[in-house]
Amino acid sequence: MRLSWSDPRLRNLVWQILIIGAVVLAGWYLAHNTNRNLEQRHIATGFGFLGQAASIPIGESLLSYTPSVSTYGRALLIGVLNTLKVAVAGVVLATVLGTLVGIARLSPNWLLSRIAAIYVETVRDIPVLLQLFFWYGLLQTLPPPRAAFHPLPGVFLSNRGVKLPTIAWHAAHFWALVAFLAGCVLVWLIGRAADRRQAATGRRPRTWPTTLAALLGLPILVWLGLGAPLHVDMPALHGFNFQGGISITPEYAALLTGLVVYTATYIAEIVRSGIQAVAAGQWEAAGALGLPRGLVLRRIVLPQALRVIVPPMTSQYLNLVKNSSLAIAIGYQDIVSIADTTLNQTGQSIEGIAIIMAVYLTFSLSISLFMNWYNAHIALVER
Amino acid sequence: MSTSIAARPRPAAARTGPIAWARANLFNTWWSTALTLALGYLILRGAWAFLDWGVIHAIWQVPQGPKGPNTDICRAAAGTGACWAVIGEKYRFILFGFYPYAQQWRPAIVIALFIALYCISANRRFWRKELALIWIAAMVLIGILMWGGVFGLTLVTESQWGGLPITLILATFALALAFPLAVLVALGRRSTRLPAVKLLCVMYVELIRGVPLITLLFMASVMFPLFMPNGFDVDKLLRAQVAITLFAGAYLAEVVRAGLQSLPKGQAEAADALGLSYWKKTLLVVLPQALRLVIPPLVNTFIGFFKDTSLVLIIGIFDLLKSGITAVAEPAWQGFGNEVYIVLALIYFAFCFAMSRYSRGLERELDRARRR
């Protein structure tokens, strides 16, 4: 390297040092201000508050929690789980609804495709927060528990949410679940064996009886063998509220509905363009080979459409997870809501926001990694 | 001539016309027929229910009582008819928030200015350097109208602003301020000779895109005061504007980067061969072509910000959504949220739908021009 301004490498080096230096300087200035401000306001630093007892009332939680006994750490963990509860259900339901609407938009039935188009075009142009308020307001107008809608036995719809009957948990159910998972593995093995037979002899053995037996027969046998325990916990009205059963709170229901209805419009467009991206010749060629329509969709069109669908779908899933942070507006206690209460109570706003950011970055990164893996898995292998 | 008449294809007239169209598109199979009938029934029922609620049994006006409007007839009709009177009574509050009543012509002009600005920017005849000047002039004019304090206009501080102008200001200023930032970040992210700058840009974009907007708004509302030296205070609206701008910058940077990537390499190489410097190459050859390509996705990203500005209500800023909600928080009007939500949804929808229509038309037009 010559020590001359006309050497581009030297110029680049100097520019980079200047820019990085400016960023470091700005960061140091902000950190210095922050330290002084924290000292003046007597705000503690560090994550010691995680072990302190939290006085946050939490309405719904997957873990046991007692206000002013349990710690902030536990409260935040509950928040993370509540976010996950909405995110996982939201991603699954939005994918199902979005795919159905996307296919409906391509339907030869004019009325169906028009309705799907109107749904997509209107709902995606209205802010999701407004939609959340709308759904929450709608659920608030339901009658009180005493006059609850009662469409099916054990199902109650009221302004306290939805009550559903549940099966009392028993160890036998756990073993039946294990048997079901074992059945899934078995089905996969049977499928592989059938593939090998087909490759060797050109004829695929009949697999559905064994598949059915492995998926349904095995768990039922285990359940019967362990004494077939079954006790349905029916919700019933006691005084002013319901007891028994499981409940879906109005906050959760409104958040989930809003996110699913909104995100499904984007997913529908992705699915539609994915299917349209597959050339018509593919359908025709498969038809010419005599493949039935279902098999054409499953074996020819969908694998090709998925390649177009998966990358934009990833960003929609990320959007759904990020939009779940709007829970705070309607009072569902997700991680943002609980971290916000925490930082208001402790005054440690930097730590609180750092926790929120860390949680969402972890979610985003995990979804991106998984979807990238899946995308690589289904990508066209080019020589 | 052995073909019988029955075997010949039917004349064209029988294959067109409404009946043939319906047969082909609504009743072509028994399954399709069943679907059409079921959907048609549901649509007619839904439309009738809405007409019944929204028009036939709706209440358009309420009498004025001694303590403001008397909403008893609305309450009596709750559930059977809409109370559109709430809109008539409250539309100025929904549109302008707590802006002084006598001065509300100013935000009204601001709204008109914004719409005019969008229309001018949408016109391809104005796509040149002068457009930047128009934007700067419009933004200065909007600032003067909103704040006042000069030319005989009374001063109105940001804490009194509200309603639709806030939504438009947050979205539009975020776009205008984030755009230059986004171009720089996109160029930085593409640079091969400045690895440290590239790393910085990647970190900025990925960090912002990985977290929800609400975290940035929280940072602006609770962390920003800690960052600043003592006694230095910035208004909440401005802080939210900074947060949305930084957020917009990361998303726009990705849009611009896509445009830079889609430009054929030969363009940059040809500029290099002519001996142009980096900035001349970028400003005269690369950017004019790349930015033209990204206008449709840029508009789509803008639609996203436009909707996302509604999040500022969580940190207590009076945007359109918040003033709508506040309008029905008053005891007299409590319970008429759905009517207000419908009107708010229509306002958001009108803006977003017009923009998305425009972006789609433009995409088709640009696509055609490129293929030619």
Side-chain angles (χ1 to χ4, degrees), chain A residues 319-351:
Chain A
N319 279 348
L320 188 142
V321 173
K322 284 186 273 175
N323 280 338
S324 74
S325 62
L326 300 180
I328 190 172
I330 55 169
Y332 177 72
Q333 284 174 308
D334 74 327
I335 177 66
V336 174
S337 164
I338 290 183
D340 185 47
T341 317
T342 304
L343 70 87
N344 281 332
Q345 286 183 357
T346 60
Q348 290 186 269
S349 46
I350 297 177
E351 287 84 351

Side-chain angles (χ1 to χ4, degrees), chain A residues 102-375:
Chain A
I103 294 172
R105 255 196 109 165
L106 293 172
S107 160
N109 185 305
W110 181 84
L111 198 59
L112 183 63
S113 72
R114 281 286 83 192
I115 291 175
I118 290 171
Y119 159 64
V120 168
E121 294 293 326
T122 34
V123 169
R124 69 197 246 148
D125 280 342
I126 297 169
V128 62
L129 190 56
L130 175 54
Q131 296 188 32
L132 291 184
F133 282 128
F134 168 76
W135 289 113
Y136 191 53
L138 199 69
L139 291 177
Q140 295 286 299
T141 58
L142 285 174
R146 279 175 168 250
F149 287 128
H150 192 204
L152 290 168
V155 178
F156 292 93
L157 271 165
S158 73
N159 60 7
R160 303 273 181 94
V162 184
K163 273 279 175 190
L164 298 169
T166 159
I167 296 170
W169 193 248
H170 191 275
H173 297 134
F174 172 75
W175 291 113
L177 208 65
V178 171
F180 177 73
L181 291 178
C184 288
V185 175
L186 213 62
V187 165
W188 182 67
L189 289 174
I190 293 168
R192 278 193 41 172
D195 284 347
R196 267 203 301 275
R197 270 284 286 287
Q198 190 176 14
T201 64
R203 207 171 260 284
R204 194 175 176 81
R206 205 162 49 156
T207 55
W208 67 263
T210 36
T211 305
L212 208 64
L215 278 183
L216 290 179
L218 205 60
I220 290 176
L221 271 181
V222 169
W223 177 65
L224 287 174
L226 287 169
L230 182 67
H231 171 72
V232 180
D233 188 9
M234 282 287 208
L237 193 64
H238 283 288
F240 290 105
N241 210 344
F242 294 102
Q243 304 216 313
I246 51 163
S247 64
I248 300 171
T249 60
E251 291 83 14
Y252 180 77
L255 183 64
L256 189 65
T257 316
L259 290 178
V260 166
V261 166
Y262 181 73
T263 313
T265 60
Y266 288 89
I267 291 179
E269 284 298 274
I270 293 170
V271 169
R272 180 176 72 116
S273 64
I275 294 177
Q276 279 179 332
V278 178
Q282 298 286 329
W283 284 96
E284 291 159 7
L289 288 175
L291 296 181
R293 204 184 146 84
L295 209 57
V296 176
L297 194 69
R298 199 154 55 87
R299 292 284 193 189
I300 312 287
V301 175
L302 225 50
Q304 298 184 68
L306 271 182
R307 273 178 218 133
V308 185
I309 289 174
V310 167
M313 203 77 126
T314 309
S315 59
Q316 286 315 316
Y317 290 162
L318 290 174
N319 279 348
L320 188 142
V321 173
K322 284 186 273 175
N323 280 338
S324 74
S325 62
L326 300 180
I328 190 172
I330 55 169
Y332 177 72
Q333 284 174 308
D334 74 327
I335 177 66
V336 174
S337 164
I338 290 183
D340 185 47
T341 317
T342 304
L343 70 87
N344 281 332
Q345 286 183 357
T346 60
Q348 290 186 269
S349 46
I350 297 177
E351 287 84 351
I353 288 171
I355 288 172
I356 303 179
M357 291 180 99
V359 167
Y360 277 101
L361 284 175
T362 313
F363 286 165
S364 301
L365 218 61
S366 323
I367 294 179
S368 293
L369 283 178
F370 174 74
M371 294 303 274
N372 284 346
W373 168 81
Y374 185 64
N375 197 25

Side-chain angles (χ1 to χ4, degrees), chain B residues 21-242:
Chain B
W21 178 87
R23 198 177 280 168
N25 292 299
L26 295 174
F27 307 105
N28 49 341
T29 57
W30 66 267
W31 157 243
S32 185
T33 307
L35 200 65
T36 305
L37 293 178
L39 286 174
Y41 171 72
L42 287 177
I43 291 174
L44 286 181
R45 265 200 67 165
W48 172 249
F50 186 80
L51 205 70
D52 191 49
W53 175 80
V55 180
I56 297 173
H57 287 107
I59 290 166
W60 303 87
Q61 263 183 338
V62 289
Q64 294 294 329
K67 287 188 226 154
N70 184 349
T71 55
D72 288 348
I73 50 168
C74 271
R75 283 207 191 280
T80 54
C83 177
W84 298 117
V86 63
I87 307 298
E89 288 286 329
K90 289 284 183 185
Y91 78 95
R92 284 184 68 160
F93 182 80
I94 293 172
L95 283 179
F96 306 123
F98 289 114
Y99 209 87
Y101 198 81
Q103 300 288 327
Q104 282 179 357
W105 56 272
R106 280 157 53 182
I109 294 180
V110 165
I111 294 172
L113 266 175
F114 271 118
I115 294 172
L117 189 63
Y118 297 155
C119 291
I120 288 175
S121 313
N123 197 327
R124 292 179 69 181
R125 254 181 304 160
F126 292 98
W127 287 3
R128 36 175 145 171
K129 286 189 201 102
E130 289 78 18
L131 189 61
L133 293 179
I134 296 179
W135 271 69
I136 293 170
M139 283 158 79
V140 170
L141 199 59
I142 286 163
I144 291 174
L145 276 169
M146 289 302 284
W147 264 300
V150 284
F151 309 123
L153 297 171
T154 38
L155 182 72
V156 180
T157 53
E158 300 96 288
S159 51
Q160 289 170 285
W161 299 7
L164 186 56
I166 293 266
T167 299
L168 292 169
I169 286 172
L170 284 173
T172 315
F173 279 55
L175 179 75
L177 301 173
F179 188 66
L181 174 75
V183 171
L184 284 179
V185 170
L187 289 173
R189 207 177 163 171
R190 297 256 302 155
S191 111
T192 46
R193 299 227 191 107
L194 306 172
V197 174
K198 183 177 176 177
L199 183 72
L200 214 61
C201 295
V202 170
M203 269 168 58
Y204 163 67
V205 170
E206 295 306 325
L207 197 69
I208 302 260
R209 278 162 41 99
V211 300
L213 174 57
I214 187 83
T215 19
L216 290 178
L217 291 173
F218 274 148
M219 274 175 99
S221 78
V222 297
M223 255 164 87
F224 188 81
L226 290 176
F227 283 159
M228 286 296 121
N230 224 344
F232 183 84
D233 195 29
V234 179
D235 182 77
K236 200 157 61 174
L237 182 65
L238 193 59
R239 282 186 265 151
Q241 180 74 72
V242 171

Side-chain angles (χ1 to χ4, degrees), chain B residues 291-303:
Chain B
L291 293 184
R292 205 162 263 259
L293 290 178
V294 298
I295 290 175
L298 213 62
V299 177
N300 288 338
T301 319
F302 181 68
I303 296 173

